[in-house]
């Protein structure tokens, strides 16, 4: 996959040279894709993936990941080291999963979210890695989501659990997961769990994990024994906002803790020309809403539909008080930000198409039916 983002193109050229090409149809040559470019203080890390051939990939088989480490030198990057095939992603059928930056004490790192759906049940897991002493160290895996909505015919028993992940806690090698359990998509309850890495696996240190997560992932007895342990005061509040978490008035395809949208929102998106049937929709209600009277949803796909370059499909869906949903914005972008200006009953939006340049983008305004680029 060729980069379509300035910083990604620079990293791609430094890593692979200028003669990057598409794989010829029918070729047996392995294809390298650009999975993520993470930005840290003074450095960047490019993650690439090599997927198994379609005939070789199994239901639980991800892609082989490699890392290219760069140092910033003025406005350019310098390749420092490469770690090839350091891990296999936890995606299914050769998919990469979602990759985001993370922080563990004084060390930078990354998290790779993936999962598998089978017979109507879906499980989401997140793998954590820390960049430490010149190596990439795997800290372990944490269960971050579960759903039976595809298997349960009785909507009153359809349960979805979504986990919002936070790193950068006061003590290193620990993560905080806020589990939100919803029934029928509206009856929500939240609980917080603190997971600590120990000898390459995560153990529950404190907090509460939903029963469906414990049963669905067949978690060990030590997790069950500590389930319900009070969370220490130092961990009771989330750490400062970092990459991968949404901020007030800004919604991004990199946000974590998103959930499958309601059936009305999903149905509206299915009629949009940008809808890719092979990709799984995920999103969140926009709070505060862009509209004075309607609810609004920010929706993307769980794997960006392999768009690359930090972009992915983005829909803004308006839901009237009657429940009728309609798509008011649809494009391949990175993030949207609510502006103070109003056109009709909808706030203007700053739409960002570049994951690494928050100033790049354009203002969109509502024309009574949909959002259009200002001045068009």
């Amino acid at each position: 996959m060729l980069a379509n983002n300035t910083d990604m193109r620079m990293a791609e050229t430094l890593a692979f040279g200028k003669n990057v090409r598409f794989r010829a149809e029918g070729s047996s040559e392995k294809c390298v894709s650009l999975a993520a470019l993470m930005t840290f203080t003074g450095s960047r890390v490019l993650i690439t993936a090599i997927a198994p051939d379609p005939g070789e990939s199994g239901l639980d088989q991800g892609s082989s990941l490699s890392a290219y480490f760069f140092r910033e030198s003025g406005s350019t990057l310098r390749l420092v080291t490469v770690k090839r095939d350091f891990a296999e992603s936890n995606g299914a059928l050769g998919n990469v999963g979602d990759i985001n930056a993370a922080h563990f004490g004084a060390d930078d790192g990354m998290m790779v979210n993936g999962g598998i759906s089978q017979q109507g049940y879906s499980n989401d897991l997140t793998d954590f890695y820390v960049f430490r002493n010149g190596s990439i160290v795997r800290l372990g895996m944490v269960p971050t989501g579960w759903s039976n909505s595809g298997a349960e015919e009785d909507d009153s028993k359809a349960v979805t659990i979504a986990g919002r992940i936070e790193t950068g806690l006061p003590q290193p090698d620990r993560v905080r997961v806020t589990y939100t359990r919803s029934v029928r998509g509206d009856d929500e309850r939240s609980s917080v769990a603190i997971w600590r890495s120990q000898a390459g696996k995560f153990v529950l240190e404190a907090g509460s994990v939903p029963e469906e997560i414990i049963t669905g992932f067949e978690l060990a007895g030590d997790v069950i024994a500590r389930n319900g342990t009070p969370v220490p005061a130092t961990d009771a509040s989330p750490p400062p906002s970092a990459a991968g978490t949404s901020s007030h008035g800004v919604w991004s395809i990199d946000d974590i803790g998103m959930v499958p949208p309601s059936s009305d929102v999903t149905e509206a998106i299915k009629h949009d020309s940008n809808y890719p049937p092979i990709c799984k929709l995920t999103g969140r209600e926009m709070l505060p809403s862009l509209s004075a009277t309607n609810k609004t949803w920010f929706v993307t796909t769980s794997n960006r539909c392999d768009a690359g370059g930090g972009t992915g499909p983005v829909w803004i869906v308006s839901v009237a008080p009657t429940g009728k949903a309609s798509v008011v914005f649809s494009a391949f972008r990175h993030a949207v930000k609510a502006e103070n200006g109003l056109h009709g009953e909808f706030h203007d939006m700053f739409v960002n198409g570049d994951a690494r340049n928050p100033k790049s983008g354009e203002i969109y305004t509502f024309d009574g039916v949909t959002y259009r680029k200002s001045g068009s």
Side-chain angles (χ1 to χ4, degrees), residues 16 84 91 131 142 174 188 196 208 257:
F16 302 106
R84 300 187 189 280
F131 309 143
V142 170
R174 294 154 77 249
E188 294 188 351
R196 174 172 51 85
S208 299

Side-chain angles (χ1 to χ4, degrees), residues 58-289:
L59 189 60
D60 60 350
Q61 185 175 9
S63 298
S64 176
L65 303 180
S66 295
Y68 295 76
F69 290 81
F70 302 91
R71 287 291 178 192
E72 293 181 356
S73 179
S75 60
T76 62
L77 300 176
R78 177 172 59 88
L79 181 61
V80 177
T81 188
V82 180
K83 301 294 182 181
R84 300 187 189 280
D85 303 319
F86 69 89
E88 182 178 291
S89 72
N90 56 6
L93 296 173
N95 291 324
V96 177
D98 291 327
I99 299 177
N100 289 287
H103 304 276
F104 304 97
D107 298 314
D108 296 324
M110 59 182 279
M111 48 188 176
V112 184
N113 177 261
I116 188 171
S117 296
Q118 192 172 18
Q119 296 180 340
Y121 292 86
S122 61
N123 296 324
D124 291 331
L125 308 106
T126 301
D127 252 321
F128 295 89
Y129 300 87
V130 61
F131 309 143
R132 182 171 291 159
N133 299 325
S135 299
I136 302 178
V137 180
R138 183 178 184 271
L139 297 178
M141 182 183 291
V142 170
T144 49
W146 182 91
S147 177
N148 67 349
S149 59
E152 185 56 66
E153 295 182 359
D154 184 349
D155 287 344
S156 66
K157 298 179 181 178
V159 176
T160 296
I161 299 172
R164 179 166 60 90
I165 307 166
E166 296 156 321
T167 63
L169 298 183
Q171 297 181 37
D173 299 352
R174 294 154 77 249
V175 299
R176 183 181 193 266
V177 181
T178 300
Y179 294 103
T180 299
R181 180 185 185 275
S182 62
V183 181
R184 301 187 306 276
D186 50 17
D187 181 17
E188 294 188 351
R189 288 182 296 167
S190 294
S191 61
V192 173
I194 305 298
W195 297 87
R196 174 172 51 85
S197 178
Q198 179 176 293
K201 62 176 292 186
F202 276 94
V203 298
L204 182 64
E205 184 171 279
S208 299
V209 179
E211 186 62 35
E212 291 88 353
I213 292 280
I214 292 176
T215 303
F217 288 89
E218 299 180 349
L219 299 182
D222 60 330
V223 174
I224 298 173
R226 293 198 61 80
N227 201 28
T229 303
V231 176
T234 53
D235 297 321
S237 299
S241 296
T245 60
S246 62
S247 57
H248 185 74
V250 179
W251 296 268
S252 161
I253 63 173
D254 290 333
D255 289 349
I256 52 182
M258 292 192 280
V259 299
S262 68
S263 58
D264 290 337
V265 171
T266 299
E267 192 62 29
I269 292 174
K270 285 182 177 181
H271 294 287
D272 183 73
S273 60
N274 285 330
Y275 172 66
I278 61 173
C279 296
K280 179 181 176 182
L281 296 178
T282 185
R284 67 169 75 235
E285 184 179 349
M286 303 171 81
L287 299 173
S289 176

